[in-house]
Amino acid sequence: MTSQKTAQTMKPATAAKKLGVYLQATPAEFQEGVVSRSELNALQADPPQWLQDLRSEGPHPRPVVAAKLGVSIAGLARGGVTEALTTTQIEALKQENPQWLERERATQAEVRKEAVRIKEKQAERADRAR
């Protein structure tokens, strides 16, 4: 008995997440089908125009919006940003620089500093253990 290897597939939501795009903004045929691993690799290697446009102009999913603004996803929610934003909207927010954005950026900077401190402390312990 020989087993045929079936192509690994994923739901459109998973593929959109891996591509870093907002699912609802993708073409209908992408949203309605399944995406194989090889199709995903092809989209990443040679993105079609719709994917290039989504990546550059948006709307962007929350993780991408958060990264572009330099805050956490929770920080976005605390700031009242719950929907996908376009690149233009993100740039306008940066220019406006509301108080919540300043506060969340400062919080994120502290989190990064603490992560570095912990990593250095762990490395120091590992060196002493040797």
Side-chain angles (χ1 to χ4, degrees):
M1 180 193 264
T2 60
S3 63
Q4 278 190 326
K5 195 169 186 178
T6 58
Q8 184 181 11
T9 60
M10 61 193 84
K11 294 178 183 175
T14 304
K17 188 174 184 178
K18 289 180 180 287
L19 292 169
V21 295
Y22 186 58
L23 177 63
Q24 287 76 2
T26 61
E29 60 271 10
F30 181 85
Q31 292 180 38
E32 294 162 2
V34 292
V35 181
S36 71
R37 174 67 61 191
S38 60
E39 289 171 331
L40 179 70
N41 291 341
L43 286 170
Q44 289 172 323
D46 186 23
Q49 191 60 48
W50 65 264
L51 183 53
Q52 292 175 36
D53 292 345
L54 275 179
R55 285 178 169 167
S56 66
E57 299 162 20
H60 303 287
R62 285 182 305 156
V64 174
V65 173
K68 286 179 179 272
L69 290 173
V71 300
S72 66
I73 294 172
L76 279 181
R78 285 190 292 270
V81 178
T82 56
E83 71 282 344
L85 298 179
T86 64
T87 301
T88 305
Q89 291 170 314
I90 292 168
E91 291 305 316
L93 249 179
K94 284 180 179 178
Q95 291 299 315
E96 187 182 309
N97 201 21
Q99 193 162 9
W100 71 264
L101 182 56
E102 274 186 50
R103 188 173 54 249
E104 291 300 333
R105 282 180 166 167
T107 300
Q108 193 70 3
E110 287 299 315
V111 167
R112 284 191 198 105
K113 253 193 331 197
E114 181 64 9
V116 167
R117 187 191 68 76
I118 290 170
K119 190 174 183 178
E120 288 171 351
K121 189 174 183 179
Q122 288 171 342
E124 188 180 301
R125 280 187 188 154
D127 284 346
R128 274 191 267 145
R130 286 186 206 149

